[in-house]
Amino acid sequence: MSRFVIPGFLRITRRNRNYIDADRARAHVRERGLRPLPYGPPSALRGVEVTVAHERGWPIYTLTPKSGSSRGGLVYAHGGGWVGEIASQHWHLAARLAAELDLTVTVPIYPLLPNGTAAQVIPRFAEIVTDSTDRYGTTFLAGDSAGGQIALSTALHLRDTAQLKVPRTVLISPALDLTLENPQIDDVLPLDPWLGRAGGLVFGELWSGELPMKDPMVSPLFGDFTGLGPITVFSGTYDILNPDTRLLVDKARAAGVEVDYEEREGLVHVYPLTPSREGASARRTIVSTLRAHL
């Protein structure tokens, strides 16, 4: 699919309807609480064996290479605005990373809104990363959109509570400041066919729970990045999260963090997961970057 077709497709299918209207956002959370969506992986994921365990109320999937060998681990946090369930694009990326890099990839199915909050989810993700490190060795973190928030907040939490530096964290269009206060967002809003401020604020406020919105467990942009492991970041300029992503890159580099940043003009939110030439290129970059750090 062409990069020029995707924004039109998103607009025609009204993918932004729950993000641009606060009442719709609240109704969407209520609906998902009443009627959760299925989360299981597609029936055929190439190159991996899939198992699932239920631990403390979470289904936790493990994708292992069919080769039988594992050189390390990766924990993937899926996006979806903290209310949308894991999608096939997430599963296929996780399977590709497992198969091509000989990694054991862990995919936690974490509690979503209205049942989950950052204070519940981030410490549990930190435990899962620690467990993966103990079992499989070098363990990376990755996440897209809301999952990018979870991944970066988890990396900060691990540094602070376990003195564990994640060897590389991959962030695909991450949510970084859930207040959406950056004034430059106003310039991007007319261009973004997917996200919006009014509904996004509803999701962010619910996800923050009892924590302040600017707590790094909720909005990792406000964390201290000193001593954080290397990060790889992807962002398109037709994404209202792009202005905060630029702030993240500058702040992390100023703190001495190694940052690989790919920004693509005119591309939408989570473009590395889209069926486009640019998406395919970004996925190859993720694979090659992690391979270089194994």
Side-chain angles (χ1 to χ4, degrees):
M1 186 180 292
S2 165
R3 58 176 285 190
F4 302 108
V5 172
I6 290 173
F9 171 78
L10 293 171
R11 287 191 172 93
I12 290 170
T13 55
R14 301 180 64 216
R15 292 298 177 92
N16 65 351
R17 59 187 177 274
N18 294 322
Y19 288 95
I20 61 175
D21 184 284
D23 289 337
R24 271 190 171 275
R26 295 186 188 96
H28 183 55
V29 171
R30 289 194 297 271
E31 173 67 14
R32 289 286 71 84
L34 289 169
R35 299 176 182 84
L37 295 176
Y39 53 75
S43 57
L45 288 176
R46 294 180 180 178
V48 295
E49 300 287 347
V50 182
T51 59
V52 62
H54 293 263
E55 301 176 7
R56 288 156 55 184
W58 288 27
I60 299 180
Y61 285 83
T62 302
L63 281 57
T64 55
K66 281 189 175 178
S67 65
S69 64
S70 176
R71 297 194 291 165
L74 183 144
V75 177
Y76 192 89
H78 73 82
W82 308 281
V83 66
E85 196 50 89
I86 187 169
S88 62
Q89 294 91 335
H90 303 125
W91 283 116
H92 286 291
L93 177 58
R96 178 174 179 175
L97 297 177
E100 295 191 17
L101 296 170
D102 289 329
L103 292 176
T104 300
V105 176
T106 304
V107 183
I109 305 300
Y110 57 93
L112 301 170
L113 300 175
N115 303 307
T117 64
Q120 296 171 264
V121 170
I122 303 305
R124 183 72 181 105
F125 257 84
E127 292 173 0
I128 291 167
V129 173
T130 301
D131 183 60
S132 175
T133 302
D134 292 341
R135 291 187 184 187
Y136 312 119
T138 299
T139 294
F140 304 105
L141 259 169
D144 67 281
S145 191
Q149 177 269 315
I150 292 171
L152 185 54
S153 290
T154 298
L156 292 168
H157 190 73
L158 283 164
R159 181 204 58 192
D160 294 341
T161 62
Q163 292 73 54
L164 176 62
K165 180 186 286 190
V166 177
R168 183 159 293 267
T169 301
V170 178
L171 305 173
I172 300 171
S173 304
L176 299 166
D177 175 5
L178 274 57
T179 71
L180 299 175
E181 288 177 349
N182 190 327
Q184 295 182 8
I185 290 174
D186 292 334
D187 299 329
V188 187
L189 273 169
L191 304 173
D192 190 334
W194 201 330
L195 302 182
R197 180 181 270 130
L201 279 172
V202 170
F203 299 146
E205 287 167 358
L206 290 171
W207 182 247
S208 69
E210 297 181 357
L211 292 175
M213 288 283 280
K214 293 186 178 182
D215 189 299
M217 199 176 288
V218 177
S219 296
L221 184 62
F222 297 102
D224 175 7
F225 296 129
T226 305
L228 195 68
I231 60 176
T232 296
V233 191
F234 298 86
S235 181
T237 62
Y238 281 21
D239 179 354
I240 64 168
L241 305 183
N242 176 255
D244 286 338
T245 303
R246 292 177 175 178
L247 293 180
L248 165 69
V249 171
D250 291 344
K251 183 176 178 180
R253 285 175 174 164
V257 177
E258 176 192 334
V259 181
D260 293 337
Y261 181 42
E262 178 177 302
E263 179 178 290
R264 298 299 295 270
E265 181 69 30
L267 296 191
V268 299
H269 184 60
V270 297
Y271 75 85
L273 295 176
T274 63
S276 63
R277 182 175 61 184
E278 293 79 10
S281 174
R283 293 190 290 274
R284 289 192 296 270
T285 297
I286 294 171
V287 171
S288 62
T289 298
L290 292 178
R291 180 178 286 123
H293 289 83
L294 277 171

